[in-house]
Amino acid sequence: MKYPNLLAIPLICCFLFASGAAHAADWELLSRTGRYGVYALESDGERLYGGGKDGVYFTLDDGLTWRESDLKRSISSVTAAPDAMYAVTWAEAVYRSETRGNTWHRIDNGLPTFRNKRGANGQHIKQMLVTRSGVLIAVGFHDDNYISRDGGDTWHQDYNIGTGVYSIAEFDGYIWAAHSNSRAMRSADGGGTWEILPDWRAGSFAEFRRIQDWAVFDNNLYVAGDYGFGRWREEELKWDVLNRGLPKKPCIVDLAIHRGRIFAVVHSWAVAYFDQPSETWEAVGPRDLRVTSLASHRDELYAATDHGIYRAVFPRVQPYNKAAVTWGGIKRP
């Protein structure tokens, strides 16, 4: 197997947060990357994984070189668990790797067959959640949802959660699920029973329309959706809307926690940074690129784009109330 080298691209852009303003240098893409973009990034602490239209790759040296796996399908998400890696392919199947991404095998006993106009085409799974207790929950894209309690060897349908679940997370002893119609539920017993959260009022999930991603930070639960960003307030069973500094009705598709900061993929901004003291957002690039996913891996933040993977390098010592970001392009295999 050949392991293609990734060409490090030096000093693409620099952003500096100072006095509430972001100052950007020019971008320069020195080398266009491979045939397809990258849809998903994931880190298990030792390896960084990238999933795209032509399969799953991983790196052992923080992006300097990449290795191919034997899973060569169009990937929608990659999920790390303590004992395995899981990959979901577009309208096809769910795969598991016990070799940290080197080899993969299909796990679909009990999962249905998705049918389109061309006939059978595998499972139409959108996202996978691995809970702290090891339960796997696969949510379908406007379809049914399935649970596995044996690492994916067998699956059974979860009738209680209903259809139309768009995203799912775990926080404070609950499994949280958001439906595509702004309805939200949570389960305190691992998916056995579900509580419907208040909706269609101020401070409900309707504030964000469709929830794309979740993040747990500083003992708080955050959500990102088509209409912005919010933080859960348990005492009042409502969400604080934290859109200050963002465009009107921003579409936030992914969140990442990196070195004590919250970063987001914002549709019209690429990557944005949330300043907690002021509860204000700032754009940090990379500009003119469609970013699809973020991942914090070791000391650096990575962004998946149509052109490949970019890495943000942070200075070791930062001035008070300032955070400098330099993005360097990494040629994708």
Side-chain angles (χ1 to χ4, degrees):
M1 180 184 298
K2 294 183 179 180
Y3 300 138
N5 291 328
L6 291 182
L7 195 58
I9 302 177
L11 194 57
I12 296 254
C13 185
C14 179
F15 289 87
L16 179 66
F17 297 100
S19 303
H23 306 283
D26 292 334
W27 278 84
E28 183 181 9
L29 184 61
L30 301 182
S31 178
R32 189 166 295 276
T33 57
R35 292 177 300 165
Y36 305 113
V38 182
Y39 304 139
L41 291 176
E42 179 71 312
S43 172
D44 64 5
E46 294 296 327
R47 297 183 178 189
L48 178 67
Y49 301 82
K53 190 172 181 179
D54 51 354
V56 175
Y57 295 83
F58 61 90
T59 176
L60 304 177
D61 51 15
D62 301 337
L64 294 179
T65 59
W66 290 82
R67 302 187 178 192
E68 299 178 3
S69 75
D70 66 349
L71 179 54
K72 302 187 184 303
R73 300 283 193 276
S74 182
I75 306 299
S76 60
S77 70
V78 182
T79 303
D83 299 322
M85 294 294 301
Y86 296 91
V88 176
T89 60
W90 287 106
E92 200 260 329
V94 177
Y95 290 81
R96 182 177 64 204
S97 172
E98 293 94 5
T99 59
R100 304 185 66 191
N102 292 297
T103 58
W104 298 82
H105 61 273
R106 185 166 173 160
I107 50 172
D108 58 0
N109 183 14
L111 290 176
T113 298
F114 169 74
R115 291 184 177 274
N116 57 19
K117 294 180 180 179
R118 299 177 182 178
N121 196 31
Q123 286 66 250
H124 200 45
I125 303 299
K126 178 181 182 292
Q127 181 191 0
M128 174 86 69
L129 172 70
V130 182
T131 69
R132 291 182 179 86
S133 61
V135 175
L136 275 62
I137 302 178
V139 297
F141 185 72
H142 297 292
D143 211 330
D144 296 323
N145 311 281
Y146 294 83
I147 291 180
S148 174
R149 301 184 186 277
D150 54 13
D153 289 337
T154 57
W155 297 85
H156 66 272
Q157 188 172 351
D158 182 0
Y159 294 97
N160 298 318
I161 194 174
T163 60
V165 176
Y166 199 77
S167 62
I168 195 165
E170 185 177 25
F171 171 71
D172 197 28
Y174 292 96
I175 297 172
W176 303 67
H179 291 244
S180 58
N181 63 357
S182 300
R183 181 187 183 194
M185 308 171 70
R186 66 181 182 181
S187 172
D189 57 4
T193 58
W194 293 85
E195 166 195 4
I196 300 177
L197 296 174
D199 57 1
W200 300 111
R201 63 172 175 80
S204 73
F205 266 63
E207 297 275 7
F208 314 104
R209 194 170 177 261
R210 187 168 52 188
I211 301 301
Q212 302 277 356
D213 198 15
W214 313 66
V216 176
F217 178 66
D218 198 21
N219 203 32
N220 286 300
L221 178 64
Y222 294 89
V223 292
D226 290 356
Y227 287 177
F229 178 77
R231 178 178 56 216
W232 176 249
R233 194 189 306 176
E234 180 68 28
E235 300 80 13
E236 300 181 36
L237 296 179
K238 63 179 295 186
W239 296 88
D240 295 324
V241 180
L242 305 172
N243 285 353
R244 184 179 177 185
L246 289 172
K248 185 178 180 181
K249 294 183 179 178
C251 182
I252 304 179
V253 298
D254 196 37
L255 296 173
I257 307 299
H258 180 69
R259 298 184 67 179
R261 301 183 183 89
I262 300 175
F263 292 85
V265 177
V266 183
H267 178 67
S268 59
W269 276 17
V271 181
Y273 156 77
F274 182 66
D275 180 70
Q276 287 185 282
S278 65
E279 295 189 339
T280 302
W281 288 92
E282 297 276 2
V284 297
R287 289 188 175 182
D288 302 323
L289 292 174
R290 188 177 75 93
V291 179
T292 55
S293 179
L294 293 174
S296 178
H297 177 65
R298 295 180 178 171
D299 290 332
E300 295 175 306
L301 179 68
Y302 294 79
T305 78
D306 286 344
H307 294 270
I309 300 172
Y310 285 82
R311 180 174 57 208
V313 182
F314 295 85
R316 293 291 180 179
V317 179
Q318 298 176 12
Y320 176 74
N321 202 31
K322 294 182 179 180
V325 183
T326 302
W327 289 88
I330 302 174
K331 187 177 181 181
R332 189 184 162 284

